[in-house]
Amino acid sequence: MSVQEYLDKHMLSRKLEDAVNAAVRAKTPDPVLFISNHMKKSVQSVITKVKARQILDSRGIPTVEVDLHTNKGVFRASVPSGDSSGMYEAVELRDGDKGVYLGNGVAKAVKNINDKISEALVGMDPTLQSQIDQAMIDLDKTEKKGELGANAILAVSIAACKAGAAEKEVPLYRHIADLYGKVSPMLPVPAFTVISGGKHAGNNLAIQEIMILPTGANRFVEALQMGTETYHHLKAVITEKYGTHDCNVGESGGFAPNVSSFREALDLVKEAIRRAGYTDKIQIALDVAATNFCIGTRYDLDFKSPQKSGQNFLSAEDMGELYRELCNDFPIVSIEDPFDKEDWEHIKRFSSTGICQVVGDDLLMSNAKRIDRAILEYACNALLLKINQVGTVTEVIEVVKQAKEAHWGVVTSHRCGETIDSFIADLSVGLSVGQIKAGAPCRGERLEKYIQLLRIEEELGDQAVYCGVDWKQ
C-alpha cells in the first residue's frame, strides 16, 4: 500500500487539514503539540483493557484495585471494606483460604475482573456508565453480586466513572452531576470522627463514634481548619485528664480514651470545642451502632468489659430517654443507628420526636428495599451511604435519588478499611450531598477525602458553595 493509499483509506488528509486549520485559528505558539492534542480528541475513547490486583486497605486486609485502560489513559480505583457485612447488602467476595491472609484474600475477585469483566467491557464507551454497570450486573446474574463480587464490580465501576470524566474533559464531580441529572455541585459538611469506641477501638465506650460538624463555617477550607483545631484541643483535654496513653487512635483516627459513659466522652468533646472557640459553630453527631451491643431487647453498655457485662443493661425506652437527655445537654444534631437494626418500632418512635436527624446505617444498609420501607414507615430521615454496600456507581446514584425524593438527608460514608482513593469526595460534591463522614482529620487514607474536597473548592472558586447550615439537604 502506498502512502497516498494509506492516507485515503483512513481519511488522514482531511483530519490533518482540520487540525492544521484549528491550529491556525488558535494562533498557537506550539503547532505540533496543538495538532497532536487535536487529533487525540478526535478519537472516541473506548475501554481497551481492565487489569486488577490485590492490595491492602488501611487495616492491612486485602482489597481490590483496578487499572482501567482506554486509548486516552489509565484510570485507577480501589474499594473500601467494612468490618462486618449485613444480609441486605451487596456481597464482598473473599477467598476463604485461612492459610492466606487468614481467609481474607481477594484473589477470586481479582481473577473475575481479569478474566470475565475485562472481556465483557473491552470496546465500550467509558462515558456510558449505566451500560457498563448493567453489563457487569448481567454478567454476575445474582441479586447481591455474589458471583463476581461487589468488590470486583464496584472497583471497575469507579474506574470507568473516572475514565468517563476524562473523556468528557470535565472534573469527576461534574461528570457525576451529569450522570445524576445536572445538579449544582455543593461542598458537604464534614463529620469528623474525634472519639472512637464500639468495635472500632479498644476502650470501654459502647458507642462507635462521636463526630463534630462545623456547620457554622462559611467555606470547606474553614470547616477543615475548625475541625482540625478542635481535634488537637481534644488531644490536650484527654492528655490532661487521663494521660498521653489515652491519646491512641481507633481505626478511623478518632481518639480512644478509656471512658465508659456517653456523657463522659461528650464532656471531653464539648470542652475541646469551647477551647477552640467554636461553641456556636460546631455541632455534634453520634454513631451509636446499637446493634453491636443489643442482646435480645436490651442494650448492654458494658459489652466491651466482660467483668462488668450485664450490670449496665438499658431497655429501648431507657435508651430513648438517654438520647433525649444528651440532646438537651449537648449540641447533638444527629444520631446514627440509635437502636438495633430490626427494632423498627423504637426508631420510628424516636424519629417522630424530631429531636435530631436520625441516620439509618445498619437499619438500611444502603438497600433500596429497606430504604423504601423506612420512607413508608417514617423510620428515619437520613441515609448513611456506603457505596460498597450498593456495588455500582449507577445504583448509588439511584439510591441517593430515592433518599432525596423523600426529603431525607444523605451522609456519604467511608468504611473502617479504607484506601487512598478519594472517589467519595467527588461523589458527595457531584450529588450535592449535605454531609460526608470520612473519619478524623488525621491518617492519610482519611485525609485524602478531605484534601480532595479542598481541591474541588479551590477549582470551583467563586462558584463554590459550602452546605454549612443547610447540611441536612
Side-chain angles (χ1 to χ4, degrees):
M1 182 183 294
S2 69
V3 172
Q4 188 59 50
E5 287 173 336
Y6 186 86
L7 291 171
D8 292 341
K9 179 180 179 180
H10 297 285
M11 296 183 290
L12 291 178
S13 297
R14 178 61 182 274
K15 292 175 182 177
L16 285 168
E17 183 179 350
D18 289 343
V20 171
N21 287 334
V24 171
R25 289 193 299 271
K27 299 179 181 179
T28 175
D30 191 339
V32 174
L33 179 61
F34 183 95
I35 292 169
S36 173
N37 290 333
H38 185 88
M39 295 290 286
K40 188 176 181 181
K41 291 176 184 177
S42 69
V43 179
Q44 183 179 358
S45 180
V46 295
I47 298 171
T48 58
K49 178 183 176 183
V50 185
K51 170 68 177 176
R53 65 184 61 85
Q54 177 173 272
I55 62 169
L56 300 180
D57 68 20
S58 57
R59 304 165 300 168
I61 294 176
T63 190
V64 178
E65 180 177 82
V66 163
D67 288 344
L68 185 142
H69 299 245
T70 73
N71 47 359
K72 300 212 175 156
V74 181
F75 304 91
R76 179 169 292 166
S78 55
V79 292
S81 175
D83 59 3
S84 62
S85 59
M87 62 183 294
Y88 301 104
E89 64 185 84
V91 175
E92 183 180 71
L93 187 61
R94 298 280 178 183
D95 299 339
D97 181 354
K98 297 297 183 181
V100 180
Y101 283 114
L102 308 179
N104 292 315
V106 291
K108 291 178 182 177
V110 168
K111 190 174 191 304
N112 285 338
I113 295 171
N114 293 337
D115 293 352
K116 298 178 181 178
I117 294 177
S118 180
E119 181 180 351
L121 300 189
V122 166
M124 293 189 73
D125 180 347
T127 65
L128 302 178
Q129 185 73 42
S130 63
Q131 293 183 24
I132 291 169
D133 290 341
Q134 191 60 51
M136 291 189 286
I137 291 170
D138 293 343
L139 188 64
D140 180 84
K141 295 185 176 69
T142 67
E143 182 181 358
K144 296 192 291 183
K145 304 175 178 67
E147 179 66 26
L148 298 176
N151 44 350
I153 292 172
L154 180 62
V156 176
S157 183
I158 293 173
C161 193
K162 294 177 180 180
E167 169 63 12
K168 290 164 58 178
E169 297 186 334
V170 298
L172 180 56
Y173 61 88
R174 292 279 189 197
H175 178 49
I176 292 169
D178 290 345
L179 294 173
Y180 183 88
K182 300 280 187 181
V183 294
S184 299
M186 188 170 288
L187 278 299
V189 171
F192 295 112
T193 302
V194 290
I195 288 186
S196 295
K199 289 186 174 181
H200 288 183
N203 54 13
N204 292 323
L205 185 63
I207 61 172
Q208 193 154 277
E209 290 177 324
I210 298 176
M211 295 162 282
I212 55 173
L213 284 72
T215 56
N218 295 312
R219 300 172 60 209
F220 183 82
V221 65
E222 182 184 348
L224 183 59
Q225 178 183 336
M226 291 166 64
T228 303
E229 289 175 356
T230 304
Y231 180 81
H232 288 292
H233 277 290
L234 178 59
K235 182 177 182 179
V237 172
I238 293 170
T239 300
E240 291 169 14
K241 189 164 185 178
Y242 304 102
T244 56
H245 59 280
D246 269 26
C247 287
N248 292 328
V249 299
E251 289 179 340
S252 298
F255 295 114
N258 199 23
V259 295
S260 55
S261 76
F262 295 19
R263 190 172 292 274
E264 185 180 1
L266 285 164
D267 279 334
L268 297 173
V269 176
K270 187 176 180 180
E271 174 60 15
I273 294 171
R274 186 195 68 78
R275 289 192 189 185
Y278 297 128
T279 298
D280 298 324
K281 294 187 174 184
I282 288 181
Q283 296 172 305
I284 295 174
L286 305 180
D287 175 7
V288 180
T291 298
N292 290 337
F293 55 93
C294 180
I295 301 175
T297 60
R298 297 193 300 166
Y299 297 85
D300 183 6
L301 301 189
D302 285 332
F303 83 104
K304 294 169 72 177
S305 304
Q307 69 276 16
K308 294 183 180 179
S309 191
Q311 297 178 18
N312 196 9
F313 272 110
L314 293 183
S315 67
E317 289 76 14
D318 293 335
M319 291 293 287
E321 182 57 33
L322 174 61
Y323 298 140
R324 282 186 281 272
E325 291 175 1
L326 293 175
C327 287
N328 185 62
D329 296 341
F330 299 93
I332 296 171
V333 294
S334 180
I335 299 180
E336 180 183 327
D337 283 344
F339 301 95
D340 180 72
K341 64 184 178 183
E342 298 301 340
D343 190 353
W344 290 80
E345 185 57 39
H346 285 97
I347 196 167
K348 284 191 288 184
R349 193 179 303 172
F350 183 67
S351 294
S352 69
T353 66
I355 292 173
C356 64
Q357 173 180 263
V358 179
V359 183
D361 176 14
D362 293 337
L363 178 76
L364 304 174
M365 288 175 252
S366 301
N367 178 283
K369 293 179 182 178
R370 300 275 289 190
I371 295 169
D372 265 339
R373 178 182 174 183
I375 291 170
L376 290 171
E377 297 186 20
Y378 300 95
C380 58
N381 51 35
L383 163 70
L384 192 82
L385 178 67
K386 292 177 174 176
I387 60 175
N388 72 315
Q389 291 182 330
V390 183
T392 67
V393 172
T394 300
E395 290 168 297
V396 165
I397 291 171
E398 291 306 311
V399 164
V400 171
K401 285 182 178 179
Q402 186 181 9
K404 287 195 169 192
E405 286 170 2
H407 306 289
W408 279 14
V410 178
V411 188
T412 307
S413 178
H414 65 161
R415 301 307 308 266
C416 61
E418 265 298 336
T419 74
I420 58 171
D421 196 307
S422 61
F423 178 76
I424 63 169
D426 286 86
L427 183 74
S428 299
V429 176
L431 300 182
S432 292
V433 167
Q435 305 154 67
I436 183 169
K437 173 182 172 181
C442 85
R443 298 189 54 144
E445 75 282 357
R446 315 293 157 179
L447 282 171
E448 188 56 40
K449 284 69 170 171
Y450 298 132
I451 292 170
Q452 177 63 5
L453 289 168
L454 281 181
R455 298 182 189 116
I456 293 171
E457 184 174 63
E458 180 182 277
E459 183 176 277
L460 286 169
D462 293 340
Q463 295 182 327
V465 177
Y466 172 67
C467 283
V469 295
D470 297 322
W471 57 277
K472 289 185 181 179
Q473 64 174 325

